[in-house]
Amino acid sequence: NAGVTQTPKFRVLKTGQSMTLLCAQDMNHEYMYWYRQDPGMGLRLIHYSVGEGTTAKGEVPDGYNVSRLKKQNFLLGLESAAPSQTSVYFCASSYSIRMTGKAFFGQGTRLTVV
Amino acid sequence: KNQVEQSPQSLIILEGKNCTLQCNYTVSPFSNLRWYKQDTGRGPVSLTIMTFSENTKSNGRYTATLDADTKQSSLHITASQLSDSASYICVVMSSGTYKYIFGTGTRLKVLA
């Protein structure tokens, strides 16, 4: 049982390049989230999904796109990377949005944009 | 504005000692409050979850308290171990938005 798996774990991009971060969960969770974590700040929600085929904006969605074509996968795309997107990205999943249950986090993707 | 503030920002204690971390929030309406442990280079892992009606919840050597009237929570760690060295993050969910509001965390270092 792998839980939540993120790939890649590390990546360096040049400004203007594009990439996709993959999040996969094997717990049959409906809800999936993408967060970014920056020094001195709490995790901030980029986008989330309440089920297969759905996506919604979080608090910092600009410059990112997402897709949830399969229930177990949630993809985060950067179309034209900027240095301000240098961060650690975390994917999470949960059984319900009310989340009196646990949210499970992946191990993170450290992205550097130069 | 919904906010979660944690104190102290960082803390160093000797192995075997106890410590208490604080979390104050202004999130309304309140749904639940969680404490997460985040080891360096890893994702957060849930320690406790408390709803409005719960005052105390324990998970081994970790005990969380919640005072919904004063909007304060604390995480008490008993008999600290080297493996407790991590960041501890307080997270509050607003029932209006069902979104998490994360604190910036307390970085704890336990020394031998």
Side-chain angles (χ1 to χ4, degrees):
Chain A
N1 187 347
V4 179
T5 303
Q6 292 181 230
T7 54
K9 290 185 170 52
F10 303 94
R11 185 74 186 269
V12 178
L13 284 180
K14 293 183 179 180
T15 298
Q17 286 185 318
S18 64
M19 77 164 294
T20 300
L21 283 67
L22 172 64
C23 176
Q25 53 94 5
D26 61 2
M27 297 171 282
N28 202 34
H29 285 167
E30 289 291 337
Y31 300 90
M32 297 187 74
Y33 315 82
W34 275 107
Y35 292 91
R36 59 179 289 174
Q37 186 175 40
D38 300 296
M41 303 183 74
L43 275 76
R44 292 180 293 169
L45 183 65
I46 304 171
H47 286 281
Y48 65 102
S49 169
V50 301
E52 181 179 316
T54 74
T55 63
K57 294 181 179 180
E59 58 180 303
V60 288
D62 294 342
Y64 306 95
N65 56 76
V66 288
S67 64
R68 183 100 181 266
L69 298 179
K70 294 182 178 180
K71 186 177 184 179
Q72 63 269 33
N73 295 336
F74 195 29
L75 279 63
L76 178 70
L78 286 73
E79 290 187 347
S80 179
S84 60
Q85 294 177 304
T86 294
S87 187
V88 181
Y89 292 86
F90 287 99
C91 175
S93 72
S94 67
Y95 178 73
S96 78
I97 197 76
R98 301 187 78 88
M99 297 212 50
T100 48
K102 292 181 183 179
F104 293 83
F105 284 81
Q107 292 202 0
T109 296
R110 185 173 294 275
L111 175 66
T112 302
V113 182
V114 298
Chain B
K1 183 179 178 182
N2 289 329
Q3 286 187 315
V4 176
E5 296 185 350
Q6 294 186 242
S7 61
Q9 282 190 331
S10 61
L11 182 63
I12 301 174
I13 61 174
L14 293 177
E15 186 178 16
K17 298 296 185 182
N18 304 334
C19 67
T20 300
L21 314 180
Q22 299 290 342
C23 174
N24 296 336
Y25 62 92
T26 59
V27 177
S28 181
F30 174 85
S31 175
N32 58 74
L33 183 146
R34 302 146 183 270
W35 283 93
Y36 282 87
K37 178 186 180 187
Q38 185 176 19
D39 293 313
T40 300
R42 308 294 293 267
V45 175
S46 179
L47 293 175
T48 64
I49 303 168
M50 289 185 292
T51 58
F52 184 87
S53 60
E54 296 175 298
N55 300 119
T56 302
K57 185 162 282 189
S58 293
N59 178 0
R61 294 180 297 102
Y62 301 102
T63 299
T65 65
L66 173 64
D67 185 336
D69 291 332
T70 62
K71 298 187 177 181
Q72 295 179 326
S73 176
S74 65
L75 180 69
H76 185 75
I77 304 174
T78 304
S80 61
Q81 300 176 358
L82 297 178
S83 59
D84 292 331
S85 295
S87 287
Y88 292 85
I89 303 172
C90 176
V91 186
V92 180
M93 172 172 273
S94 169
S95 59
T97 65
Y98 299 114
K99 292 178 182 175
Y100 295 108
I101 297 105
F102 287 77
T104 55
T106 292
R107 189 183 299 273
L108 174 66
K109 188 166 182 62
V110 181
L111 300 178

